[in-house]
Amino acid sequence: MMTGQKLWKRAIKSIPGGNGLLSKRPDRYAPDIWPTYYSKAKGIDIWDLDGNQYKDMAQMGIGSAILGYSDDDVNEKVSNALHDGVSTTLNCPEEVYLAEKLLELNPFAGGVKFARTGGEAMSIAVRIARAYSGRDKVAFSGYHGWCDWYLATNLSGDKLGSHLLPGLSTSGVPKGLVNTMYPFEYNNLDELNDIVKHNDIGVIVIEGARYDFPTQEFLTGINQIAKENDIVIVLDEITSGWRMTDGGVYKTFDFEPDIVVYGKAMGNGYAISSVVGKKDIMDVAQDTFISSTFWTERIGFVAGLATINKLVDNKVWKHLNYIGEMTGRSWKTIADSHNIDIHITDFKPLITFKFEYGELNSALYTLFIQEMLNYDYISSNSIYLSSSHTEDEMLKYFNVVDSVFGYIKECIDKNKVFKVLNTKVKEEGFKRLN
């Protein structure tokens, strides 16, 4: 048994769920053969605990390593900060420098609050938006984290099932939050209109993009609804930010949010997130208690500045979209050559293919992951692309995908998909681990 598999068995005995992030559980990939733990990483290369070297054509730190793992320029800035001290009685100046940089890149805004994770930042944003609007009810679309305000949606049924993760439990979420959250389908303006018409909505929360883009009609409609009803618009760019522009996807549309939230890629793997909003709205943060010791530590600010400066200087988003376009096109061409039915999503920096075989899909994804591991690729049906995903590396990857898709088609035709799996089928939703 691989060292990583052994350590995971130890982990689930001492850590509820085995780790702190659902997206890194082996159950989400190929449960019985997934390397699970890394010893080091550089660029798109990952080494597991047994010294095996893989290319990451999957999650890249769940979207955090936009420049590639262990970027030299970012690490140099962080290393210097470590030697100078990371947390003292006084404030570090980089908090101001990063706030000013974010305001420069988001001209609509006049204030910034920082946190270290996406979930924290979204909770801050929703708190501020509710405080400013004076209303509790939130209409939303998409995935926005683990916190009570969001999970309260499921107090009246599994309404989050169509918003990325089915089966999320409301255990521990105060029952008093029932009927404070109203989900609507992305790009469905009629559904949002109906919610606002029948409920006293104070906040609208949407994602910048995940698999597909918003339509201009959808965004224009949200702006109009918000203006007519004095609703605060919170735009969650934690997943989409920095991948299409020098900031959020919203900058590629005619759209005016009140608050934008950034995270993930903002520090290239170092923990940093931000809430960037209009001055009059953000100033309400002083009327409600929002404070935490480690929101002022130095490393996040230093990494954020170094990452953003490199992203902007090199216009990294152009590379991500070029490689994403190439990847989607190549997946489709290879799939068509083997008569495999797949769908390619629109958001190129997080390029995704989806098998179209109904209940067989999960097993097919598992088989794809299993076979790619045999070629030393950490893979899934989605790739968070980075500047380290070069054209040469992608061409080598496509050659392997060609072989694997050919084998998958053979397994489909001969009805032996489950017979050739060396692992349990991957989990698609939330599952309690015992």
Side-chain angles (χ1 to χ4, degrees), residues 57-301:
M57 295 292 177
Q59 300 298 300
M60 289 301 294
I62 320 302
S64 63
I66 193 169
L67 301 175
Y69 293 125
S70 192
D71 180 78
D72 290 339
D73 296 320
V74 178
N75 284 354
E76 181 182 3
K77 297 291 187 181
V78 168
S79 180
N80 292 338
L82 280 171
H83 291 295
D84 291 336
V86 300
S87 189
T88 77
T89 303
L90 303 181
N91 296 291
C92 67
E94 290 86 0
E95 181 174 9
V96 182
Y97 306 155
L98 183 55
E100 291 174 342
K101 186 67 176 180
L102 289 168
L103 293 179
E104 173 192 329
L105 294 173
N106 297 271
F108 80 92
V112 182
K113 294 289 285 185
F114 291 105
R116 289 299 177 272
T117 72
E120 291 175 323
M122 282 304 299
S123 290
I124 292 171
V126 170
R127 169 84 72 80
I128 291 171
R130 280 172 161 166
Y132 184 84
S133 71
R135 286 165 283 169
D136 296 338
K137 295 183 178 182
V138 177
F140 76 95
S141 180
Y143 174 74
H144 304 288
W146 66 273
C147 297
D148 285 359
W149 72 268
Y150 181 68
L151 291 183
T153 310
N154 276 4
L155 288 171
S156 54
D158 188 15
K159 295 180 179 179
L160 291 175
S162 60
H163 292 258
L164 194 62
L165 280 177
L168 292 177
S169 170
T170 57
S171 179
V173 177
K175 301 298 188 293
L177 294 177
V178 69
N179 296 328
T180 57
M181 299 296 296
Y182 296 84
F184 61 93
E185 184 182 358
Y186 203 62
N187 280 327
N188 191 330
L189 200 57
D190 290 339
E191 190 175 7
L192 174 59
N193 262 311
D194 189 62
I195 289 170
V196 172
K197 181 179 179 180
H198 293 96
N199 301 278
D200 189 19
I201 300 296
V203 185
I204 294 173
V205 180
I206 63 168
E207 289 185 285
R210 182 170 290 270
Y211 299 121
D212 298 301
F213 288 100
T215 65
Q216 183 60 61
E217 179 186 9
F218 178 60
L219 296 178
T220 300
I222 289 176
N223 272 148
Q224 184 176 347
I225 291 169
K227 184 176 181 179
E228 292 174 352
N229 296 276
D230 295 321
I231 295 173
V232 178
I233 301 171
V234 176
L235 185 61
D236 180 346
E237 295 265 17
I238 293 169
T239 291
S240 53
W242 313 106
R243 304 184 200 278
M244 292 297 300
T245 66
D246 56 352
V249 170
Y250 81 92
K251 298 176 77 170
T252 67
F253 292 91
D254 180 13
F255 183 60
E256 185 179 342
D258 296 303
I259 295 173
V260 176
V261 181
Y262 296 110
K264 282 196 187 293
M266 188 174 154
N268 202 55
Y270 293 98
I272 183 68
S273 57
S274 61
V275 180
V276 184
K278 294 178 178 177
K279 182 169 177 53
D280 58 335
I281 295 175
M282 293 301 293
D283 280 347
V284 174
Q286 297 184 83
D287 300 328
T288 180
F289 186 62
I290 301 173
S291 178
S292 186
T293 297
F294 286 107
W295 290 348
T296 63
E297 63 80 33
R298 193 176 211 167
I299 297 303
F301 301 130

